[in-house]
């Protein structure tokens, strides 16, 4: 069944046909770093969602990319010709814009520091006709990048050794006109990117959906009254993916995970991941679940299939544990099962996996097909699929397998499979990492009556329909409609001062006085902490009364931090607005009784803590201690 509304106009002329009302009124932008030639799952999802927004709701959607490598790649034309991208979706790159804009258009880029005209003296000798000149240190670290306009004149000097020439530290990005005079300057790449977004987005109500964790780590500060800012979490948020409350966060997502309340909306692909982030108290109501969408692959439950023919779509990398699947097939074959596995994907583990196939004499049972365009269509002819990843954001291949009527057999990992599969009804869940259980499940599936398998295939196709285009776009419309274009609250001058700090073996209790936040009243206030080394972060909600705000942090929240320093802040959360304020403190307000955590006032007068794994009794260790780090 098609997921396109019956009355949807198929002509691609957005100015002739009204929007269909699935999404709130406004302009739509997808933001990512790059769209490479070998784009992966995250990029595929972004392309498909943008295309579906355009197709089902008759929207023009722009995909915005920031990577200099995208400057000369005509990915839009290629993706349109391949049918991967709807014709109403445009791909726009920062550097394509800057290197083609006129000076008049460039002057719309507003700098954030007073321009220094002497920046032109930093220009590098031009060695060729390429649009970029680079300066590096002896170890290959980038110190400067000069970019040139398509007409040949100097456009940008991005110098990254402003503190001491020849050593990375301090940055200045300078934009020049054709006359080689400074148009604008920025002290950070973040401010530079924001200036471009202001020109591209303008002042009309707009929805900006960021699909890149890397970009999300700095885009959370792009707050404009007319822009609803959303971030999508595409994969696991913990480094170890073990779900422990105090576990270390994934390094590549640390920036935005610690500032979820800085967005209008943060989307997880599964309810389980949303609840996990809520359990970690990372958000004051900004989290919503919107699943990936999957194409209707028109799976035929009654189509004859070779029962033992399995398929797997996965990158050949350690995280996907394809070796587990091959070993499980070897076990099943050794027990007499007539089973095969076709693996579609490429990666660094190919040689190792080929050796595993040879050593188990599986040349006739397992085949590595490499990267195969439209690999998901193979699910229509295969009987079952395997997923053996260490973790998933959701598992798009599971949805594709269901849509094709191919029965998924999956490790029960975070996140995705358990939110999609009903064991024994439309697929199977296997304890993660249990290869014997995986092999036994394959054998169990092989032994089922044909009528039972046909019913399972029908259930699989029916379940996949919940993730087809129309219901997912409607869900996006619902969560975006919950957001507001109310003015953003800014309280940059807010102050927080610790009145009393008590540390014992059970908890850290902090009483904080908050001031200078004007008439703005925070909806919620949290006390947060961040490690100086590693990616540990946490926070607790405070209790407010006439004496101030009080936070009680169980010592168990610090268990995963074996040693080192943590800095404490107060998070002020408004309807639209978020401020993180360092907590000022005095030594005489801090009482360290006993335990591995000692709190102290830094030389800058802020509240911090020292964790010493070797000294369980650290009574008084933090009194007057001044950090030298």
């Amino acid at each position: 069944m098609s997921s396109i509304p019956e009355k949807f106009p198929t002509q691609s002329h957005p100015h002739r046909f009204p929007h269909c009302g699935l999404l709130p009124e406004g302009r739509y932008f997808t933001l990512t770093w790059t769209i490479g030639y070998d784009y992966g799952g995250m990029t595929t999802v972004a392309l498909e969602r943008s295309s579906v927004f355009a197709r089902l709701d008759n929207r023009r959607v722009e995909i915005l990319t920031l990577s200099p490598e995208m400057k000369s790649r005509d990915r839009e034309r290629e993706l349109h010709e391949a049918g991967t991208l709807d014709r109403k979706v445009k791909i726009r790159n920062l550097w394509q814009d800057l290197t083609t804009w006129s000076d008049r258009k460039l002057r719309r880029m507003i700098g954030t520091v007073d321009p220094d005209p002497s920046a032109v003296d930093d220009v590098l000798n031009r060695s060729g006709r390429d649009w970029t000149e680079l300066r590096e240190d002896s170890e290959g670290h980038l110190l400067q990048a000069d970019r040139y306009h398509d007409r040949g004149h100097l456009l940008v000097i991005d110098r990254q050794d402003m503190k001491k020439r020849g050593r990375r530290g301090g940055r200045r990005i300078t934009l020049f006109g054709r006359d080689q005079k400074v148009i604008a300057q920025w002290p950070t790449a973040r401010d530079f990117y924001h200036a471009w977004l202001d020109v591209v987005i303008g002042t009309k109500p707009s929805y900006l959906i960021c699909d890149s964790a890397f970009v999300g780590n700095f885009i959370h500060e792009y707050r404009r009254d007319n822009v609803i800012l959303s971030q999508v979490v595409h994969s696991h948020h913990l480094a170890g993916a073990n779900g422990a409350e105090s576990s270390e966060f994934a390094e590549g997502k640390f920036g935005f995970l610690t500032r979820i309340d800085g967005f209008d909306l943060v989307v997880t692909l599964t309810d389980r991941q949303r609840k996990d982030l809520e359990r970690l108290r990372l958000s004051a109501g900004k989290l919503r679940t919107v699943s990936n969408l999957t194409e209707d692959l028109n799976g035929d439950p009654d189509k004859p299939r070779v029962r033992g023919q399995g398929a797997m779509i996965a990158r050949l990398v350690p995280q996907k544990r394809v070796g587990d699947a091959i070993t499980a097939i070897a076990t099943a074959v050794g027990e007499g099962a007539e089973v095969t596995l076709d693996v579609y994907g490429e990666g660094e583990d190919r040689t190792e996996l080929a050796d595993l196939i040879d050593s188990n004499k599986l040349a006739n049972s397992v085949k590595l097909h490499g990267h195969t365009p439209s690999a998901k269509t193979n699910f229509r002819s295969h009987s079952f699929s395997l997923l053996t990843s260490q973790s998933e954001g959701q598992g798009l291949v599971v949805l594709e397998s269901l849509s094709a009527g191919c029965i998924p057999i999956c490790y029960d990992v975070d996140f995705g499979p358990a939110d999609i599969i009903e064991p024994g009804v439309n697929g199977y869940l296997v304890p993660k990492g249990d290869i014997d259980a995986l092999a036994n499940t394959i054998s169990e599936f092989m032994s089922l009556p044909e009528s039972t398998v046909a019913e399972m295939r029908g259930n699989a196709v029916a379940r996949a329909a919940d993730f087809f285009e129309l219901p997912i776009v409607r869900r996006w419309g619902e969560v975006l409609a919950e957001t507001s274009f109310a003015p953003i609250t800014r309280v940059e001058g807010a102050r927080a001062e610790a009145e009393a700090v008590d540390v014992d073996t059970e908890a850290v209790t902090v009483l904080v006085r908050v001031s200078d936040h004007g008439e703005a009243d925070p909806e919620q206030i949290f006390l947060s902490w961040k490690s100086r080394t590693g990616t540990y972060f946490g926070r607790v909600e405070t209790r407010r009364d006439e004496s101030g705000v009080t936070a009680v942090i169980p010592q168990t929240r610090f268990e995963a931090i074996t040693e080192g320093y943590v800095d404490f802040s107060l998070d002020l959360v408004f309807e639209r607005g978020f401020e993180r304020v360092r907590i000022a403190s005095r030594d005489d307000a801090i009482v360290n009784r006993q335990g591995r955590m000692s709190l102290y006032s830094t030389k800058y007068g802020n509240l911090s803590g020292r964790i010493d794994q070797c000294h369980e009794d650290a009574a008084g260790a933090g009194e007057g201690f001044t950090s030298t780090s």
Side-chain angles (χ1 to χ4, degrees):
M1 180 183 297
S2 173
S3 59
I4 299 177
E6 292 181 4
K7 296 183 179 180
F8 182 79
T10 57
Q11 297 94 329
S12 58
H13 300 288
H15 62 284
R16 297 184 186 176
F17 299 94
H19 301 314
C20 298
L22 298 173
L23 301 168
E25 287 302 315
R27 304 175 69 200
Y28 283 81
F29 299 90
T30 294
L31 179 63
T32 187
W33 180 253
T34 187
I35 299 174
Y37 283 92
D38 295 323
Y39 52 90
M42 179 274 290
T43 302
T44 300
V45 169
L47 294 174
E48 289 181 344
R49 185 186 63 241
S50 300
S51 293
V52 171
F53 279 11
R55 187 166 61 253
L56 293 194
D57 211 41
N58 205 39
R59 299 278 174 179
R60 172 165 178 171
V61 181
E62 289 191 64
I63 297 177
L64 309 179
T65 63
L66 302 176
S67 171
E69 284 69 32
M70 285 286 292
K71 185 256 179 185
S72 59
R73 293 182 174 180
D74 194 357
R75 296 296 286 133
E76 179 184 311
R77 177 184 58 79
E78 295 169 0
L79 293 170
H80 283 165
E81 290 178 352
T84 306
L85 196 66
D86 189 273
R87 292 285 176 178
K88 289 191 289 293
V89 180
K90 304 298 179 184
I91 296 178
R92 188 169 187 169
N93 176 255
L94 161 68
W95 296 100
Q96 282 182 330
D97 277 356
L98 296 187
T99 54
T100 57
W101 280 355
S102 65
D103 281 7
R104 181 178 179 182
K105 191 72 174 284
L106 289 174
R107 290 191 180 95
R108 295 173 62 186
M109 297 272 290
I110 306 301
T112 54
V113 293
D114 293 332
D116 180 356
S118 68
V120 70
D121 297 333
D122 289 331
V123 64
L124 302 173
N125 291 327
R126 198 167 186 190
S127 59
R129 298 179 61 85
D130 193 74
W131 78 292
T132 297
E133 293 289 344
L134 303 177
R135 176 167 62 89
E136 299 175 339
D137 64 15
S138 59
E139 297 179 353
H141 300 132
L142 181 64
L143 299 178
Q144 181 173 328
D146 292 357
R147 313 286 188 183
Y148 283 82
H149 196 282
D150 283 355
R151 294 184 178 181
H153 58 270
L154 178 67
L155 176 70
V156 168
I157 293 179
D158 179 5
R159 185 177 162 190
Q160 301 180 39
D161 60 345
M162 290 298 298
K163 291 183 178 180
K164 183 176 181 180
R165 189 171 182 83
R167 180 182 300 174
R168 281 180 65 90
R171 194 166 189 174
R172 182 176 67 192
I173 301 174
T174 307
L175 178 66
F176 296 91
R178 291 188 67 182
D179 58 4
Q180 302 300 266
K181 292 182 178 179
V182 176
I183 290 177
Q185 285 179 333
W186 301 267
T188 66
R190 174 201 62 208
D191 291 341
F192 176 58
Y193 299 144
H194 288 184
W196 176 68
L197 289 174
D198 282 341
V199 176
V200 171
I201 295 176
T203 58
K204 293 182 180 180
S206 301
Y207 295 88
L208 180 63
I209 302 173
C210 181
D211 280 284
S212 164
F214 173 72
V215 177
N217 287 337
F218 58 80
I219 207 63
H220 59 80
E221 294 188 15
Y222 184 70
R223 302 318 321 269
R224 305 292 186 266
D225 290 350
N226 68 301
V227 178
I228 297 297
L229 180 63
S230 305
Q231 174 71 41
V232 181
V233 184
H234 284 279
S235 56
H236 208 296
H237 54 277
L238 294 176
N242 58 14
E245 185 173 10
S246 56
S247 292
E248 196 169 10
F249 286 87
E251 183 176 2
K253 302 178 181 65
F254 192 54
F256 81 80
L257 287 172
T258 60
R259 292 180 176 270
I260 285 179
D261 286 327
F263 295 87
D264 290 298
L265 174 69
V266 171
V267 169
T268 62
L269 305 178
T270 68
D271 283 332
R272 287 178 65 181
Q273 186 167 31
R274 173 180 56 79
K275 292 174 181 177
D276 201 39
L277 291 170
E278 289 173 342
R279 178 178 60 83
L280 293 169
R281 303 168 186 87
L282 298 185
S283 170
K286 302 297 178 68
L287 289 161
R288 296 293 184 273
T289 301
V290 185
S291 298
N292 280 331
L293 61 88
T294 189
E295 179 184 352
D296 184 354
L297 293 176
N298 299 301
D300 183 355
D302 301 318
K303 176 183 177 180
R305 310 185 193 210
V306 177
R307 177 70 65 84
Q309 190 172 13
M312 185 175 193
I313 300 176
R315 289 177 292 116
L316 308 185
V317 295
Q319 195 270 336
K320 296 299 182 180
R321 295 193 289 200
V322 178
D324 284 18
I326 294 173
T327 303
I329 293 294
T331 299
V333 169
E335 294 175 352
E338 295 183 3
V339 61
T340 62
L341 181 67
D342 292 304
V343 181
Y344 303 95
E346 196 56 81
E348 62 192 65
D349 285 355
R350 183 184 182 93
T351 300
E352 178 182 335
L353 295 173
D355 291 342
L356 182 62
I357 292 170
D358 289 343
S359 64
N360 284 279
K361 298 180 172 56
L362 295 174
N364 294 324
S365 301
V366 180
K367 296 189 182 300
L368 303 179
H369 293 272
H371 175 69
T372 305
S374 300
K376 59 189 175 184
T377 59
N378 290 287
F379 284 141
R380 289 199 290 252
S381 59
H382 286 67
S383 185
F384 68 91
S385 67
L386 299 180
L387 182 140
T388 54
S389 305
Q390 292 178 350
S391 65
E392 288 286 342
Q394 181 177 38
L396 183 59
V397 293
V398 179
L399 299 178
E400 293 167 344
S401 182
L402 290 168
S403 181
C406 183
I407 303 303
I409 303 173
C410 307
Y411 276 170
D412 187 10
V413 296
D414 293 335
F415 297 95
D419 281 19
I420 302 170
I421 293 171
E422 187 175 354
V425 176
N426 54 25
Y428 295 92
L429 295 175
V430 176
K432 55 186 177 184
D434 192 334
I435 298 176
D436 289 338
L438 184 64
N440 291 337
T441 304
I442 294 170
S443 297
E444 176 186 337
F445 174 71
M446 293 283 291
S447 67
L448 291 176
E450 195 60 42
S451 59
T452 302
V453 173
E455 183 178 359
M456 289 186 69
R457 296 197 198 285
N459 294 336
V461 172
R463 177 60 174 143
D466 294 334
F467 303 91
F468 288 168
E469 295 176 351
L470 185 56
I472 298 304
V473 174
R474 279 180 172 156
R475 176 59 180 161
W476 268 107
E478 292 170 359
V479 300
L480 291 175
E482 293 175 1
T483 60
S484 167
F485 284 103
I488 294 171
T489 301
R490 295 177 172 86
V491 288
E492 288 91 344
R495 288 179 49 81
E497 183 173 359
E499 296 286 323
V501 180
D502 187 89
V503 185
D504 61 28
T505 57
E506 298 298 321
V508 175
T509 304
V510 184
L511 172 62
V512 182
R513 178 75 64 180
V514 186
S515 61
D516 297 340
H517 55 83
E519 298 180 359
D521 185 26
E523 293 187 349
Q524 289 178 275
I525 300 178
F526 296 82
L527 191 145
S528 64
W529 61 92
K530 183 188 296 187
S531 62
R532 294 188 194 171
T533 57
T535 53
Y536 296 98
F537 174 82
R539 67 180 196 172
V540 295
E541 188 169 5
T542 64
R543 182 183 71 253
R544 285 189 269 184
D545 56 31
E546 63 278 358
S547 62
V549 298
T550 302
V552 179
I553 312 170
Q555 286 278 9
T556 55
R557 297 296 302 275
F558 304 109
E559 284 180 348
I561 310 176
T562 57
E563 58 184 352
Y565 298 94
V566 294
D567 297 317
F568 293 88
S569 300
L570 214 60
D571 290 359
L572 310 180
V573 182
F574 304 89
E575 177 188 3
R576 286 196 84 196
F578 171 77
E579 294 291 339
R580 176 162 291 154
V581 184
R582 282 288 271 130
I583 300 173
S585 65
R586 309 179 315 275
D587 288 340
D588 60 5
I590 302 172
V591 177
N592 288 303
R593 301 183 187 278
Q594 56 183 335
R596 46 191 295 272
M597 165 76 82
S598 301
L599 267 63
Y600 66 94
S601 298
T602 70
K603 63 183 178 182
Y604 299 108
N606 294 320
L607 185 65
S608 293
R610 181 178 65 180
I611 297 175
D612 189 345
Q613 185 70 39
C614 299
H615 297 87
E616 290 299 323
D617 185 359
E623 297 283 355
F625 180 84
T626 299
S627 169
T628 58
S629 61

